[in-house]
Amino acid sequence: QQPVQSPQAVILREGEDAVINCSSSKALYSVHWYRQKHGEAPVFLMILLKGGEQKGHEKISASFNEKKQQSSLYLTASQLSYSGTYFCGTEIMDSGYSTLTFGKGTMLLVSP
Amino acid sequence: NAGVMQNPRHLVRRRGQEARLRCSPMKGHSHVYWYRQLPEEGLKFMVYLQKENIIDESGMPKERFSAEFPKEGPSILRIQQVVRGDSAAYFCASSPVNEQFFGPGTRLTVL
């Protein structure tokens, strides 16, 4: 039940926008987004819960379409520091407790 | 408030030896998760623990791998008789309720 992320990789120039998608075949309770830089730990960005939408950072926001079991991460006016691999982690409805299944990641490279 | 701590950061073992990875969750967090990450791949869930309880170990290989989170002290991921395929980065995360916060990881290399 690994969620599918798209695209696999994105190359941007500083200031451009990007959208990263995450879709699941299972009904979702929540979607979590993380960014990981090479050789470092994943860093929590935001969580989107069923029935709500939460913005974690000023120029990074996300949506959660419960009916389509999809989430999208929006990066606007990208900065060099946005480079890294973005992972979505999904929590399914019937687990009874919180465990996450992560997608394979989307690599984002922002160049000057 | 210190973040999630893991040690060692790097561990080298020869085939057949034991690897012991430690994770100290953030203060006040009672949920601990272990993940394995291979190069250029995502995080694979291994096990979810609360104090003195294994809640979900569906991602753990059936043999050689074990995990614990005792009443006192860090959570331990133990790999017995390591093989080259165990080489990976192992991350733990702790959580108060929903969000999971990751430690810096232990990079295990099996020679």
Side-chain angles (χ1 to χ4, degrees), chain B residues 42-55:
Chain B
L43 297 146
K44 292 288 176 70
F45 167 78
M46 298 182 75
V47 62
Y48 163 40
L49 309 108
Q50 295 180 16
K51 285 280 188 183
E52 299 185 279
N53 282 307
I54 297 174
I55 308 301

Side-chain angles (χ1 to χ4, degrees), chain B residues 45-106:
Chain B
F45 167 78
M46 298 182 75
V47 62
Y48 163 40
L49 309 108
Q50 295 180 16
K51 285 280 188 183
E52 299 185 279
N53 282 307
I54 297 174
I55 308 301
D56 183 346
E57 56 181 348
S58 59
M60 288 272 275
K62 294 285 184 270
E63 297 176 350
R64 302 189 296 110
F65 285 72
S66 62
E68 62 177 8
F69 188 15
K71 188 177 180 181
E72 302 290 338
S75 175
I76 306 285
L77 178 67
R78 185 180 292 110
I79 311 173
Q80 296 177 303
Q81 299 173 348
V82 295
V83 301
R84 287 211 174 116
D86 297 333
S87 296
Y90 292 84
F91 290 96
C92 81
S94 73
S95 171
V97 179
N98 285 317
E99 305 95 330
Q100 294 185 21
F101 297 93
F102 283 80
T106 294

Side-chain angles (χ1 to χ4, degrees), chain A residues 2 29-30 32 34 36 38-44 47 49 54 87 91 97-105 107, chain B residues 9 33 35 37 40-45 48 50 55-58 91 95 97-105 107:
Chain A
Q2 184 177 33
Y29 177 74
S30 70
H32 304 223
Y34 290 81
Q36 184 179 31
H38 185 70
E40 299 182 9
V43 173
F44 173 78
I47 179 175
L49 301 173
Q54 183 172 334
F87 293 99
E91 180 185 357
Y97 45 76
S98 177
T99 63
L100 296 178
T101 303
F102 285 91
K104 290 188 175 182
M107 193 181 309
Chain B
R9 294 292 303 275
Y33 305 80
Y35 295 88
Q37 186 176 40
E40 312 306 324
E41 291 196 13
L43 297 146
K44 292 288 176 70
F45 167 78
Y48 163 40
Q50 295 180 16
I55 308 301
D56 183 346
E57 56 181 348
S58 59
F91 290 96
S95 171
V97 179
N98 285 317
E99 305 95 330
Q100 294 185 21
F101 297 93
F102 283 80
R107 278 146 187 87

Side-chain angles (χ1 to χ4, degrees), chain A residues 42-110:
Chain A
V43 173
F44 173 78
L45 294 177
M46 67 186 73
I47 179 175
L48 298 107
L49 301 173
K50 182 177 182 295
E53 175 181 319
Q54 183 172 334
K55 181 185 291 187
H57 294 258
E58 199 172 304
K59 292 185 178 178
I60 301 177
S61 61
S63 64
F64 180 20
N65 186 325
E66 298 162 30
K67 286 185 178 178
K68 292 186 177 180
Q69 295 148 202
Q70 291 177 347
S71 177
S72 295
L73 186 72
Y74 306 95
L75 302 103
T76 57
S78 59
Q79 305 169 14
L80 297 177
S81 61
Y82 286 5
S83 293
T85 301
Y86 289 77
F87 293 99
C88 68
T90 55
E91 180 185 357
I92 61 175
M93 290 290 289
D94 58 359
S95 63
Y97 45 76
S98 177
T99 63
L100 296 178
T101 303
F102 285 91
K104 290 188 175 182
T106 295
M107 193 181 309
L108 177 72
L109 176 63
V110 181

